[in-house]
Amino acid sequence: LGQVPSGGVAAVAAAPAQPPTAAPPAVESEERVVRRVVPADNSCLFTAIGCAMEGGAMDRASSLREHVAAVLLSAPDKYTEAELGFPLEEYVEKIMGESWGGGIDLAVLSEHYATEIAVINIQTQTDSHVRREQVFGEGRDYKQRALLIFDGTHYDLLVKQLFDGAPPALDVRLFDADDEKVMAQARAVAAEANRARSFTNLAKFTIRCLVCQKGFVGMPDAQEHAKETGATGQ
């Protein structure tokens, strides 16, 4: 309706009925941070990093394991048993096999790609407004950052989805290292998973050695048993 003149009640009543207007077209939702699941095959850390750093490639786990092993073997004075938790040769053998990756490997890969790698742990990220992530490569003046989410036993990749239903090929996988808006969205994803209890508490879960059938509560005791006995079927 136009502006109502003086005596506007009568003017409004006399105005011809307007045809119904069509609903505005649906607007695609804003871009947002989402979780991209990678295979749970003991190489999830390496697969997620390869996907982030290599343009979405999902087949880089073996080559990244080889790179980590080569770096560790090239610096035995740095990567000691105290640092690795195992003798160097044993750790390298594990990482070249099907052992899970961890902090040592993330630090090596962060340096390899000159990129920060932020890991958000679902178990501890109870509040989306609190900074709890561990950032490998922080303080080294790297300009970009990759984001991983960890549930206690598995790593997935956090990416920016440009619109609902956008294919993974369009994902934004690397971010400015100082992009706090993206980090807030990433923390929110983890906090929502925390509220859904979508994590494994490694300090309390039970595990049984398939070699000797001895049971353990928590990963540290199980790892110590494997180190002492050489049992790997846990």
Side-chain angles (χ1 to χ4, degrees):
L1 295 176
Q3 184 176 1
V4 178
S6 175
V9 173
V12 171
Q18 298 295 319
T21 54
V27 178
E28 293 174 336
S29 61
E30 291 185 356
E31 58 190 24
R32 60 195 177 99
V33 172
V34 299
R35 183 176 184 174
R36 290 295 190 207
V37 176
V38 302
D41 57 2
N42 293 336
S43 291
C44 54
L45 180 153
F46 300 98
T47 300
I49 293 298
C51 181
M53 308 295 188
E54 303 281 354
M58 298 292 286
D59 59 354
R60 300 294 194 266
S62 294
S63 62
L64 293 182
R65 284 180 179 275
E66 291 173 1
H67 174 76
V68 169
V71 170
L72 299 186
L73 289 172
S74 72
D77 293 339
K78 178 179 180 181
Y79 297 107
T80 63
E81 182 173 353
E83 177 77 8
L84 300 174
F86 294 92
L88 174 58
E89 292 77 10
E90 184 178 345
Y91 187 93
V92 167
E93 182 180 356
K94 289 177 179 294
I95 218 63
M96 286 298 294
E98 295 186 351
S99 177
W100 296 354
I104 294 292
D105 316 297
L106 286 166
V108 170
L109 293 174
S110 171
E111 184 173 2
H112 174 56
Y113 287 107
T115 298
E116 292 183 357
I117 301 173
V119 178
I120 304 178
N121 191 323
I122 292 172
Q123 182 179 348
T124 58
Q125 193 66 55
T126 56
D127 186 335
S128 61
H129 301 291
V130 178
R131 185 188 191 279
R132 298 187 185 279
E133 63 271 9
Q134 185 174 7
V135 182
F136 295 87
E138 192 171 30
R140 305 194 67 170
D141 201 32
Y142 297 152
K143 304 304 182 185
Q144 60 185 6
R145 176 182 289 182
L147 307 179
L148 302 186
I149 188 169
F150 181 58
D151 70 2
T153 61
H154 181 78
Y155 292 89
D156 284 320
L157 184 63
L158 292 174
V159 303
K160 182 186 288 184
Q161 185 184 51
L162 297 182
F163 54 87
D164 282 346
L170 298 181
D171 287 344
V172 178
R173 305 176 191 89
L174 294 171
F175 308 94
D176 291 341
D178 59 357
D179 191 335
E180 186 53 36
K181 180 179 178 181
V182 163
M183 291 308 303
Q185 292 182 16
R187 294 180 197 119
V189 171
E192 182 178 354
N194 176 280
R195 288 190 292 272
R197 307 296 292 175
S198 299
F199 61 85
T200 301
N201 187 336
L202 292 182
K204 295 182 179 180
F205 86 131
T206 57
I207 188 170
R208 182 176 300 279
C209 175
L210 298 180
V211 176
C212 67
Q213 300 302 311
K214 186 175 181 178
F216 302 91
V217 176
M219 182 61 79
D221 288 347
Q223 289 177 327
E224 185 63 25
H225 173 72
K227 183 177 178 180
E228 292 175 352
T229 65
T232 59
Q234 297 182 30

